[in-house]
Amino acid sequence: MVVGNASERLEPNERKRVRLDFPTTEYEGLYEVVVGWQAGDQQESVSQTLEIWPSATRSTGQIGGAWAGLEHWSDEEGRLWNDDIRTLTEDDWREMMRAMAACHIDIMVIQELFRNEMYVGDHKIEEEGYQGKAYYPSELFPGRMGFRAKNALEAIFDEADKVGVKVFPGIGLYAWFDFSAGSLEWHKKVAEELHKIYGHHPSFYGWYVSEEVFGSLGTTLERKKDLVAFFEAFQKHVQAIAPERPVMLAPNCHEIKDSEGFYDQLLPNLDILCPFGFHRMPDGDNTGEEAAAWLQMACDKHGTHFWMDMEAFLFGPHNELYPRPIDGLISDMERFPNFEKILIYQFPGMLTSPTMRVKLGGEDAVKLYTDYAGWLKREN
């Protein structure tokens, strides 16, 4: 039974995405997705099995992905594990990938692949040059972050290939909240280099832009316009490199009422919107449920996938992050059933398998991992 089809005609050496959307409410069971191509008399095809389960909600009701900072951007927030994470070996990162897969967490989002603690409107990168340091052997910029694993990223991709986890490398950081023309050109170059070095890995799933933004999409009209222009150009650029790989942005969900209609301009150029902060809405703002419903309608209008960045942490007395108890995670998953996929921020320092050599985050992180693994086993 054929339930839908789509096709494109390509010029020699052209790359183009072919997308097919169809509702699954009437379908249940095993289906085969077939992609075929023809060049003259030559024809070939590949296929993949898809299983559709009946459900009253979009959500799977469990954690499907996780962020991972190769170290946390703030030593204050990462005080409980940052010193330890810098000592991890490539084998330790492989161990982390296996621990994620054991809990059916099949997406890893790398927080950032460059460290440059600067902010939009408060730097002179265009005049003085980019001084950030890379977490991988970049040929674009000479600076390197100093930690033990010389190529943690290669270990992550290689192990992800083996255990079935998909990886979004974080294209950033140029400067926090900066979507200027200079930032765009920097991101294009880094994306090209990452694809050149790591693009052969099947686990290289998509592009995550590390620069964050408020739910308002910018503090000024000009910055909102910069954001839209950035993603319009960046999506076209990376689709020319690898059209099958989606682009994701993770804003917070606060102050969306101040977005001035710019979601309608942004979302056509985003494949995945993955907002965070629904359980801690500011006073006078929407409720978390209202924000989720509004953003879902906006994403549906433009065919953008709607994922959730669920916070797996709480703030301690000195602003340090520590694991959020399992009841808080379950509460969010039950409160917000409309997200296609739920990712947590973050895995390192918040969830640690008892089998891991280095217990990032200590016993509280081990407890959250074992609590979640036990809950997951009961639910399934």
Side-chain angles (χ1 to χ4, degrees):
M1 176 175 62
V2 177
V3 298
N5 61 78
S7 63
E8 288 280 355
R9 181 179 179 84
L10 304 181
E11 298 299 323
N13 300 314
E14 183 183 11
R15 294 170 179 260
K16 187 181 293 186
R17 178 182 297 183
V18 179
R19 174 171 171 168
L20 172 66
D21 295 310
F22 68 94
T24 60
T25 52
E26 300 178 6
Y27 303 98
E28 179 182 344
L30 294 175
Y31 291 85
E32 191 174 21
V33 179
V34 181
V35 178
W37 59 93
Q38 179 176 347
D41 295 332
Q42 184 179 1
Q43 298 183 44
E44 293 189 40
S45 65
V46 295
S47 65
Q48 181 171 325
T49 300
L50 174 70
E51 186 170 9
I52 300 174
W53 287 71
S55 175
T57 66
R58 301 187 194 219
S59 175
T60 63
Q62 64 187 48
I63 298 169
W67 262 260
L70 300 181
E71 63 179 336
H72 194 62
W73 65 272
S74 163
D75 274 331
E76 180 182 50
E77 289 190 3
R79 183 174 64 85
L80 300 180
W81 75 90
N82 243 11
D83 287 343
D84 290 333
I85 204 170
R86 294 176 180 124
T87 71
L88 297 188
T89 67
E90 282 82 355
D91 286 343
D92 291 327
W93 284 104
R94 291 177 181 275
E95 191 176 50
M96 189 182 301
M97 301 305 299
R98 295 193 294 271
M100 290 176 61
C103 281
H104 304 168
I105 297 174
D106 61 9
I107 291 283
M108 174 190 262
V109 183
I110 308 290
Q111 171 69 26
E112 59 184 4
L113 290 176
F114 284 83
R115 178 93 292 273
N116 192 39
E117 193 60 16
M118 292 186 174
Y119 288 79
V120 63
D122 193 29
H123 65 75
K124 297 181 179 179
I125 296 175
E126 286 78 5
E127 294 85 2
E128 298 175 356
Y130 182 75
Q131 303 300 317
K133 296 181 179 180
Y135 285 101
Y136 68 98
S138 171
E139 296 180 358
L140 290 171
F141 304 99
R144 298 289 179 271
M145 294 301 294
F147 60 18
R148 185 174 178 182
K150 299 304 180 185
N151 200 343
L153 190 56
E154 174 60 33
I156 287 170
F157 274 120
D158 185 63
E159 195 65 26
D161 292 344
K162 298 173 183 176
V163 299
V165 173
K166 305 301 183 185
V167 179
F168 280 85
I171 315 302
L173 189 75
Y174 179 78
W176 287 107
F177 313 116
D178 193 323
F179 297 95
S180 63
S183 178
L184 171 63
E185 292 309 308
W186 183 93
H187 281 75
K188 287 180 178 180
K189 292 176 183 177
V190 172
E192 290 171 3
E193 180 175 67
L194 287 170
H195 184 262
K196 177 182 177 181
I197 300 174
Y198 303 106
H200 63 284
H201 285 287
S203 57
F204 192 139
Y205 185 77
W207 314 93
Y208 167 62
V209 176
S210 301
E211 282 73 9
E212 295 181 356
V213 70
F214 293 101
S216 63
L217 301 184
T219 56
T220 67
L221 182 62
E222 287 306 312
R223 287 183 182 168
K224 290 178 171 66
K225 291 180 179 178
D226 283 348
L227 179 75
V228 170
F230 178 101
F231 279 98
E232 181 178 12
F234 183 74
Q235 187 188 56
K236 288 179 181 177
H237 185 76
V238 294
Q239 282 191 4
I241 299 171
E244 74 280 9
R245 292 178 174 147
V247 175
M248 182 171 75
L249 175 67
N252 72 23
C253 60
H254 304 162
E255 303 172 0
I256 58 175
K257 56 190 176 184
D258 297 327
S259 58
E260 302 179 86
F262 275 86
Y263 277 96
D264 283 334
Q265 299 180 48
L266 171 67
L267 292 176
N269 304 306
L270 264 185
D271 298 296
I272 302 167
L273 186 74
C274 191
F276 64 90
F278 291 92
H279 71 287
R280 53 178 180 91
M281 302 297 294
D283 292 339
D285 204 343
N286 295 312
T287 66
E289 286 82 356
E290 288 170 343
W294 191 95
L295 289 168
Q296 180 69 76
M297 287 191 295
C299 287
D300 287 347
K301 180 179 177 180
H302 297 286
T304 304
H305 294 281
F306 191 41
W307 294 6
M308 182 185 193
D309 174 2
M310 184 172 69
E311 295 175 354
F313 63 85
L314 297 174
F315 289 97
H318 303 291
N319 209 40
E320 73 276 17
L321 306 186
Y322 68 93
R324 188 179 175 195
I326 185 68
D327 290 348
L329 304 188
I330 295 171
S331 173
D332 273 9
M333 289 188 284
E334 292 175 347
R335 282 183 62 194
F336 303 106
N338 54 322
F339 293 93
E340 295 175 39
K341 201 169 185 72
I342 297 172
L343 281 61
I344 58 166
Y345 187 90
Q346 66 169 5
F347 195 89
M350 299 298 115
L351 282 82
T352 293
S353 169
T355 64
M356 292 172 65
R357 183 183 72 87
V358 180
K359 305 298 191 292
L360 298 175
E363 289 305 313
D364 287 344
V366 173
K367 177 174 171 34
L368 183 55
Y369 183 94
T370 55
D371 284 350
Y372 179 70
W375 175 84
L376 190 64
K377 185 176 182 180
R378 291 192 300 272
E379 289 296 302
N380 293 330

